[in-house]
């Protein structure tokens, strides 16, 4: 299944399957009760776990809505997504592991896919949904702690949606958290008095200033931003109404505040207040917290790969939510491999081939490389054997990239993997003398 997903450039199941017999086979696979999302996610996390030993790991987690349609999707039984309740689809919660030092993408840690229940959307109901869905942040942190226990350290990073008191107090002992603050919580001062979190941060002395390059984004040019840094330990008070009476009354965290000063651009200036369980005692450490938080964008890139460039998951034509849920999970696993190849293509990260391939793939990739290389320097694989960049060059060439123009993207990588799996399957057959 995973192979077929990375092989086919379109997620419509009929085309994915290729022919009627395979369509039946696929649908049977997806309908099979024993193949659940949980099992697929656990399997992927176990593969990721093989790569984390002794490394400093960050796990970036986030939610994404998969919009599948309006009235017809509703009739098929898909729950509400997006604002207004007019659109229907599924929810995906995913987490990826990265090396904190060299940013290498190591694999999927968790994927949860669900269909919101189909009742009327009322304020009270959306509150209940929010409470239930907040559990995904907590359970991903638990899974990360279990699956990646061989790591030297684990920091789980997430955006403002996950600023949940229970998230901080119930984290596993081997997991640090880094969460962008969302709520202006009550905090306790050393004097015993209390104040609000954001007013407290505003009153802190600037600890340092530094400049960063903010990359271009849709509707925004690249720019240099000057940032002012503040940080302090804080004691957060348990929110009211008490979410769960057994939670401790306070928790000690560190708050870092980074804000853009001397802003000349028109957009909103940067202002983040990351909360973390890491201790921070100087501005260098505070800056590292901000730099770690910026690595969260990888999970956004992952959702983009899944939705557009790679898989067009939102165009999938599957009328049964239960089947679609499994399809999304399988596509999530495959999308990580595509991203690993796209990221490795420039050869700047020194990632090894085994971060994304099986050991027996290596001789096949090297044999293919020899065949694909041309006479000119430009047509030679510039990367060292055994690196993921070497594999990415081969896969991109197989996917139709000429080595002359541009850089291969997710679609080329998918086509290349399709070809590679086909060739490898062929060589396996030959070796077995079939
Ligand atoms: Mn989010």
């Amino acid at each position: 299944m995973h192979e077929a997903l990375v092989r086919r450039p379109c997620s419509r199941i009929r085309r994915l399957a290729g022919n009627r017999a395979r369509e039946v086979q696929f649908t049977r696979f997806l309908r099979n009760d024993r193949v659940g999302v949980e099992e697929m996610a656990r399997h992927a996390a176990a593969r990721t776990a093989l790569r984390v030993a002794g490394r400093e790991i960050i796990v970036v987690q986030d939610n994404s809505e998969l919009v599948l349609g309006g009235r017809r999707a509703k009739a098929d039984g898909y729950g509400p997504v997006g604002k207004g309740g007019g659109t229907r689809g599924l929810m995906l919660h995913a987490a990826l592991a990265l090396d904190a030092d060299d940013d290498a993408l190591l694999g999927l840690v968790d994927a949860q896919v669900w269909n919101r229940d189909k009742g009327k959307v009322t304020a009270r109901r959306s509150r209940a949904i929010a409470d239930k869905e907040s559990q995904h942040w907590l359970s991903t942190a638990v899974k990360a702690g279990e699956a990646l226990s061989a790591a030297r350290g684990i920091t789980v990073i997430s955006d403002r949606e996950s600023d949940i008191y229970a998230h901080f107090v119930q984290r596993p002992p081997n997991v640090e958290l880094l969460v962008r603050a969302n709520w202006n919580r009550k905090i306790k001062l050393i004097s015993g008095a209390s104040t609000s979190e954001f007013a407290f941060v505003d009153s802190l002395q600037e600890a340092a200033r530094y400049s960063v390059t903010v990359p271009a984004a849709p509707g925004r040019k690249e720019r240099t931003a000057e940032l002012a840094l503040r940080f302090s330990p804080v004691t957060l008070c348990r929110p009211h109404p008490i979410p769960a009476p057994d939670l401790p009354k306070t928790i000690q965290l560190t708050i870092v505040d980074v804000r853009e000063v001397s802003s000349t651009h028109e957009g909103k200036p940067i202002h983040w207040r990351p909360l973390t369980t890491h201790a921070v005692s100087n501005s260098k450490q505070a800056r590292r917290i901000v730099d770690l938080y910026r690595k969260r964008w990888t999970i956004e890139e992952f959702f983009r790969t899944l939705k557009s460039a790679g898989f067009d998951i939102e165009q999938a034509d599957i009328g049964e939510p239960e089947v679609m849920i499994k399809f999304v999970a399988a596509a999530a696993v495959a999308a990580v491999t595509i991203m690993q190849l796209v990221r490795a293509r420039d050869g700047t990260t020194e990632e090894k081939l085994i971060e994304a391939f099986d050991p027996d793939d290596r001789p096949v990739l090297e044999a293919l490389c020899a065949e694909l290389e041309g006479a000119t320097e430009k047509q030679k694989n510039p990367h060292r054997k055994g690196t993921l960049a070497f594999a990415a060059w081969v896969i991109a060439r197989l996917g139709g990239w000429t080595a002359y123009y541009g850089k291969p993207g997710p679609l080329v990588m998918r086509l290349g993997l399709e070809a590679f799996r086909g060739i490898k399957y062929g060589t396996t057959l030959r070796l077995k003398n079939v």
Side-chain angles (χ1 to χ4, degrees):
M1 181 67 194
H2 173 257
E3 278 185 16
L5 279 172
V6 290
R7 258 191 267 156
R8 295 286 166 177
C10 180
S11 65
R12 281 177 195 271
I13 203 147
R14 184 154 303 170
R15 276 193 254 161
L16 177 85
N19 59 45
R20 178 72 196 154
R22 293 201 60 210
E23 183 190 339
V24 172
Q25 212 178 51
F26 267 128
T27 322
R28 205 173 283 153
F29 168 85
L30 291 169
R31 287 213 180 93
N32 183 345
D33 286 336
R34 282 171 303 175
V35 192
V37 171
E38 239 187 278
E39 198 194 332
M40 285 190 251
R42 211 180 312 123
H43 185 75
R47 281 193 64 187
T48 306
L50 299 173
R51 303 171 186 135
V52 302
R55 296 167 98 160
E56 189 65 41
I57 298 298
I58 58 171
V59 173
V60 288
Q61 62 165 332
D62 203 3
N63 272 328
S64 188
E65 294 173 330
L66 303 167
V67 179
L68 300 173
R71 204 174 295 164
R72 204 183 115 196
K74 184 180 176 180
D76 285 338
Y78 288 101
V81 292
K83 291 192 177 80
T87 48
R88 299 277 158 162
L90 295 175
M91 294 296 298
L92 167 65
H93 187 97
L96 304 174
L98 303 163
D99 185 303
D101 299 313
D102 65 12
D103 289 355
L105 174 56
L106 304 175
L108 204 67
V109 178
D110 194 16
Q112 303 175 58
V113 192
W114 68 99
N115 192 13
R116 284 174 168 160
D117 53 26
K118 288 142 271 179
K120 239 185 164 176
V121 189
T122 61
R124 195 164 156 192
R125 194 172 191 104
S126 27
R127 187 66 242 152
I129 289 175
D131 285 347
K132 211 165 116 201
E133 292 187 349
S134 72
Q135 289 304 314
H136 295 286
W137 306 100
L138 280 69
S139 64
T140 292
V142 169
K143 284 180 207 166
E146 284 168 3
L148 313 182
S149 58
R152 192 174 62 195
I154 305 167
T155 303
V156 175
I157 303 174
S158 45
D159 65 14
R160 283 188 286 192
E161 287 177 90
S162 65
D163 180 6
I164 300 160
Y165 191 75
H167 189 204
F168 292 110
V169 299
Q170 293 177 348
R171 75 179 160 111
N174 64 336
V175 169
E176 303 290 343
L177 294 184
L178 173 47
V179 172
R180 188 175 167 195
N182 188 38
W183 307 107
N184 193 4
R185 295 178 187 280
K186 192 170 131 185
I187 62 164
K188 213 176 196 131
L189 301 169
I190 303 165
S191 65
S194 55
T195 184
S196 73
E197 189 176 322
F198 297 166
F200 171 72
V201 175
D202 289 344
S203 74
L204 294 171
Q205 289 271 323
E206 252 183 61
R209 282 197 180 194
Y210 64 99
S211 296
V212 292
T213 304
V214 182
R220 193 185 77 191
K221 275 188 261 169
E222 182 184 288
R223 71 176 194 277
T224 303
E226 194 184 5
L227 302 174
L229 200 59
R230 294 171 170 82
F231 65 92
S232 172
V234 279
T235 304
L236 300 192
C237 299
R238 187 173 61 189
H240 297 286
I242 300 167
D246 53 335
L247 297 181
K249 280 193 183 126
T250 60
I251 183 167
Q252 297 269 2
L253 297 171
T254 299
I255 191 161
V256 178
D257 179 286
V258 64
R259 61 184 75 183
E260 195 170 350
V261 286
S262 72
S263 168
T264 51
H265 79 288
E266 282 125 57
K268 235 179 148 192
I270 292 169
H271 190 191
W272 296 341
R273 300 183 192 92
L275 283 164
T276 182
T277 56
H278 280 290
V280 173
S281 51
N282 55 49
S283 48
K284 197 179 152 204
Q285 289 171 350
R287 179 167 173 183
R288 179 170 150 81
I289 294 298
V290 176
D291 290 344
L292 285 179
Y293 188 79
R294 291 179 79 193
K295 297 179 195 287
R296 205 195 64 82
W297 70 268
T298 301
I299 191 78
E300 312 275 359
E301 190 196 345
F302 167 77
F303 291 135
R304 262 200 311 278
T305 304
L306 196 60
K307 288 179 184 183
S308 57
F311 294 89
D312 288 335
I313 197 92
E314 289 178 324
Q315 308 306 316
D317 196 12
I318 299 175
E320 289 169 66
E322 286 313 307
V323 173
M324 183 65 186
I325 282 172
K326 292 182 193 175
F327 181 70
V328 170
V333 175
V336 179
T337 310
I338 304 289
M339 274 179 76
Q340 286 177 312
L341 288 168
V342 173
R343 295 181 131 213
R345 109 204 128 179
D346 298 332
T348 49
T349 55
E350 281 299 300
E351 283 166 83
K352 293 191 192 75
L353 197 135
I354 47 157
E355 314 269 35
F357 286 88
D358 294 332
D360 63 343
D361 289 333
R362 184 170 168 169
V364 185
L365 284 162
E366 286 175 6
L368 283 168
C369 185
E371 263 181 61
L372 289 163
E373 282 183 327
T376 68
E377 212 36 48
K378 195 127 200 201
Q379 292 171 305
K380 297 237 187 297
N381 191 337
H383 308 290
R384 223 160 14 87
K385 285 179 183 172
T387 62
L388 193 52
F390 178 92
W393 189 92
V394 176
I395 298 295
R397 292 281 285 114
L398 287 173
W401 177 61
T402 60
Y404 285 109
Y405 307 107
K407 287 177 173 182
L411 191 59
V412 165
M413 293 302 186
R414 284 196 63 199
L415 295 170
L417 268 174
E418 165 187 355
F420 174 70
R421 301 289 183 209
I423 292 160
K424 193 193 164 193
Y425 185 59
T427 53
T428 317
L429 288 184
R430 241 176 283 139
L431 286 173
K432 284 183 184 154
N433 223 357
V434 176

